Amino acid sequence: MAGEAKFSIGVDYGTNSVRALVVEVHSGEEIACTSWTYAHGEDGVILDTREVNLARQHPADYEEGFVRTVGQAIEQARADRRFSPERVVGIGVDTTGSTPLPVDEQGRALATLPEFERENDAMARLWKDHTAHAEAAEISRRASEGGWPYLSKCGGAYSSEWYWSKALHCERHNAGVARAAFAWVELCDYVPGLITGNRDPRTMARGICAAGHKAMYHPSWGGLPSAEFLEGLSPGFSRFRERYKHPAVASDRVAGGLTGEFAERTGLRAGVPVAVGALDAHLGAVGSGIGPGTLVKIMGTSTCDCMVGPLSEGMPDIPGVSGIVPESVIPGMLGIEAGQSAVGDIFNWFVNRIGPSGYGRREEMHARLSDAAGRLRAGESGLVALDWHNGNRNVLTDPLLTGLVVGETLATTPAEIYRALIEATAFGALKIIERIEEYGVAIERVVNCGGIAEKNPLVMQIYADVCNRPMQISRSGQACALGAAVFGAVAGKAHADVPAAQRAMTGVKERVYRPEAGSVAVYRDLYRLYTALHDAFGGAGGADVGRVMKDLITIRQRAREV
């Protein structure tokens, strides 16, 4: 009947776990949320101590994760008297990326087959796998020297985190897996294909979000890079281009209907529309209410920054960002992506690898370190750090850069280092903001989402002070899953388009973190030192770093005299 409650489901595949969110499509009310940590590896990530750049996932976890979380969310949602599975109008899916996996001709993930179940190279290559850094450099060099246009929409350099680098690395280093790989499929395309039964890589829907930002897909050159370009990298490599469905499409399109098998396993009805998949950060931006003039920062293990602008107005190519792609965030708009390769992962590294004593058990350390760091004034630590513990994604696009802390003495405390690491990630965020605005794209407000934005007020206040901008927080603590649910609602025709669904389903919290004038002034001085180190160690110029240590002492003394 008219006005009755309707629901959509957003399924969010993160770095360590998958979650399912059930949302009422008219109000945005979240009535159920469940999560499951991937079974394989360390916190869901398969690592190799012999290769520090390796980060893989077992694709069996993706199927089990969908069934577990969606099934449990349906049961949880039944506590709401308005809910029934028949009132679910659509499903949206977001995943990490670029997280491609090799599949056979039937679309079966190679690692799910007996002959490859223990083969790391047959696993999904998680976004933060940097084993393909040499291949990324080769792709960038070939495109640049050959006059190919493919780097113009991805910031001027191709990344080791992305689709073609990872496929080429397998081609070069594991002939058995390379021969068995009929195609490489992004995780955000694989899951919708799996649950709708359209697993054939030649016919499954391919999303413009991952294709454009990770696989050098752009309409201006006819889609993917040419067969000639790919063959020049490795003979036969263009076969993956031929098996990639064209055109790639926006996520308001329907990938298919939920199969009877997955309906039975989750408690849903068969045929529920499933939206074309997209990357988690981009749908987190949608779930945070992104629109023209708004920068959304998705803050977790890494960060991703997203903006949109009207297709009709165009947008300049911006060196050092991760892509400018039509309809990758909101249909009918251009999407900009940038980000940092590690943020939460840096804080976790300090807690898990350094493990300073005196701050309680490991699960308590983040809160206690944040509390101690929050009692320090800006500049009081006398430290400045570089946030490159997992390379630099933007604006330098170099996976081989590493982290650094300058200014330590025998009196330096763990809380001071922890705060310096937070400040370093904020300085890195400001670099991205400056680069985007340098090319004429105005940023009128900043909205943050993700676990860090939700849980750590200190981080948000430091970001406000460093960037000298108010920091808003997405209303939903599950913005990525909510963004997926928005597309599920559009796929199910509960809303006419994505902006209409956003108006009904998204928003921001009342609390706003505002810049504090005293801290802003100190961070302006510290940012100058960060920039000197950034340019000197990042190869961006011959910056003079000879005064950095002494300038840090001066800043520290001033802060302690206040």
Side-chain angles (χ1 to χ4, degrees):
M1 64 181 180
E4 72 177 8
K6 295 180 180 179
F7 303 88
S8 62
I9 297 175
V11 186
D12 168 35
Y13 286 84
T15 299
N16 308 110
S17 61
V18 56
R19 59 193 44 78
L21 184 71
V22 182
V23 186
E24 205 287 312
V25 300
H26 301 302
S27 65
E29 181 184 356
E30 300 171 7
I31 69 165
C33 183
T34 59
S35 65
W36 179 70
T37 299
Y38 304 124
H40 293 81
E42 181 179 322
D43 289 329
V45 181
I46 296 167
L47 305 171
D48 186 340
T49 56
R50 299 165 299 177
E51 173 51 89
V52 297
N53 289 312
L54 185 145
R56 308 283 162 86
Q57 286 184 325
H58 200 296
D61 289 345
Y62 302 142
E63 178 174 345
E64 184 172 358
F66 181 86
V67 172
R68 280 177 178 263
T69 58
V70 174
Q72 291 168 7
I74 293 300
E75 287 305 308
Q76 191 181 108
R78 291 181 188 275
D80 189 309
R81 290 185 298 176
R82 300 169 299 170
F83 178 82
S84 72
E86 290 72 27
R87 291 185 176 179
V88 174
V89 299
I91 300 170
V93 175
D94 74 78
T95 75
T96 62
S98 179
T99 301
L101 57 154
V103 301
D104 67 7
E105 191 168 359
Q106 288 74 48
R108 298 176 299 179
L110 294 188
T112 63
L113 305 178
E115 59 267 39
F116 292 113
E117 62 184 357
R118 298 185 182 278
E119 174 59 72
N120 275 350
D121 285 337
M123 306 291 177
R125 296 183 179 225
L126 189 60
W127 64 269
K128 62 180 178 178
D129 186 303
H130 287 291
T131 52
H133 55 82
E135 287 75 16
E138 181 181 351
I139 291 170
S140 294
R141 186 168 56 252
R142 175 167 171 74
S144 179
E145 293 176 357
W148 301 94
Y150 308 133
L151 302 181
S152 63
K153 302 301 180 184
C154 64
Y158 200 67
S159 171
S160 60
E161 296 182 6
W162 296 348
Y163 180 90
W164 292 114
S165 301
K166 291 173 174 177
L168 184 59
H169 182 269
C170 182
E171 199 86 350
R172 297 267 173 80
H173 295 277
N174 195 315
V177 172
R179 282 194 301 270
F182 182 79
W184 285 82
V185 177
E186 282 285 358
L187 177 56
C188 61
D189 297 330
Y190 176 80
V191 173
L194 174 71
I195 64 176
T196 63
N198 185 8
R199 300 175 65 169
D200 187 332
R202 294 163 294 195
T203 60
M204 72 164 57
R206 304 290 187 122
I208 187 65
C209 184
H213 287 289
K214 311 303 178 185
M216 297 190 290
Y217 184 105
H218 199 273
S220 65
W221 51 75
L224 294 171
S226 70
E228 179 186 355
F229 177 81
L230 296 173
E231 286 295 306
L233 293 169
S234 180
F237 196 49
S238 66
R239 68 190 185 279
F240 300 128
R241 181 188 193 276
E242 296 165 3
R243 298 162 185 172
Y244 196 113
K245 185 182 178 182
H246 179 83
V249 296
S251 291
D252 61 342
R253 302 281 289 275
V254 176
L258 189 69
T259 66
E261 175 195 348
F262 280 97
E264 183 177 352
R265 293 171 70 185
T266 58
L268 287 168
R269 61 180 173 85
V272 175
V274 178
V276 170
L279 301 175
D280 52 0
H282 301 69
L283 295 202
V286 171
S288 299
I290 195 170
T294 297
L295 172 72
V296 175
K297 295 185 64 63
I298 300 88
M299 303 183 68
T301 51
S302 64
T303 66
C304 188
D305 297 354
C306 290
M307 291 194 72
V308 296
L311 271 174
S312 58
E313 295 180 9
M315 194 172 288
D317 294 335
I318 304 175
V321 303
S322 297
I324 301 173
V325 177
E327 304 192 292
S328 63
V329 182
I330 294 180
M333 295 188 183
L334 286 168
I336 302 177
E337 177 200 337
Q340 294 159 270
S341 295
V343 174
D345 270 350
I346 297 177
F347 312 151
N348 287 334
W349 160 79
F350 187 69
V351 164
N352 296 331
R353 300 295 185 185
I354 307 301
S357 61
Y359 291 88
R361 297 187 302 274
R362 184 157 293 176
E363 58 269 23
E364 301 172 320
M365 283 187 184
H366 282 298
R368 293 192 176 190
L369 283 165
S370 293
D371 182 63
R375 293 195 292 270
L376 298 168
R377 299 183 185 91
E380 188 177 350
S381 70
L383 304 175
V384 66
L386 290 175
D387 52 317
W388 300 342
H389 296 62
N390 194 32
N392 179 283
R393 181 183 298 161
N394 303 121
V395 295
L396 298 173
T397 318
D398 189 341
L400 300 183
L401 295 174
T402 57
L404 177 71
V405 180
V406 177
E408 292 173 309
T409 71
L410 294 177
T412 297
T413 68
E416 289 173 336
I417 298 174
Y418 193 76
R419 183 175 180 118
L421 294 173
I422 294 172
E423 292 166 345
T425 67
F427 294 143
L430 181 55
K431 281 289 174 198
I432 292 170
I433 288 173
E434 289 181 340
R435 176 59 58 89
I436 291 172
E437 291 201 318
E438 179 185 348
Y439 282 80
V441 180
I443 298 173
E444 298 167 7
R445 68 173 187 145
V446 181
V447 178
N448 301 268
C449 68
I452 293 174
E454 278 284 309
K455 299 173 184 177
N456 199 314
L458 173 64
V459 173
M460 287 294 90
Q461 187 59 55
I462 288 174
Y463 272 59
D465 294 338
V466 166
C467 298
N468 195 19
R469 296 168 184 263
M471 293 287 156
Q472 295 180 284
I473 310 297
S474 173
R475 185 176 68 199
S476 175
Q478 302 294 341
C480 297
L482 177 58
V486 164
F487 278 100
V490 174
K493 301 187 184 305
H495 292 287
D497 55 30
V498 172
Q502 286 180 294
R503 287 191 293 272
M505 299 172 70
T506 71
V508 295
K509 296 181 185 291
E510 289 186 9
R511 181 175 184 180
V512 179
Y513 295 88
R514 300 188 184 279
E516 298 174 352
S519 296
V520 169
V522 175
Y523 282 132
R524 190 177 298 117
D525 291 338
L526 281 172
Y527 183 61
R528 175 178 54 81
L529 303 183
Y530 173 90
T531 296
L533 295 171
H534 174 280
D535 293 351
F537 285 94
D544 180 12
V545 296
R547 288 284 313 172
V548 168
M549 292 182 183
K550 292 180 174 60
D551 287 348
L552 284 170
I553 292 172
T554 300
I555 292 170
R556 182 185 68 196
Q557 289 173 337
R558 286 204 306 259
R560 293 180 178 181
E561 290 169 358
V562 174

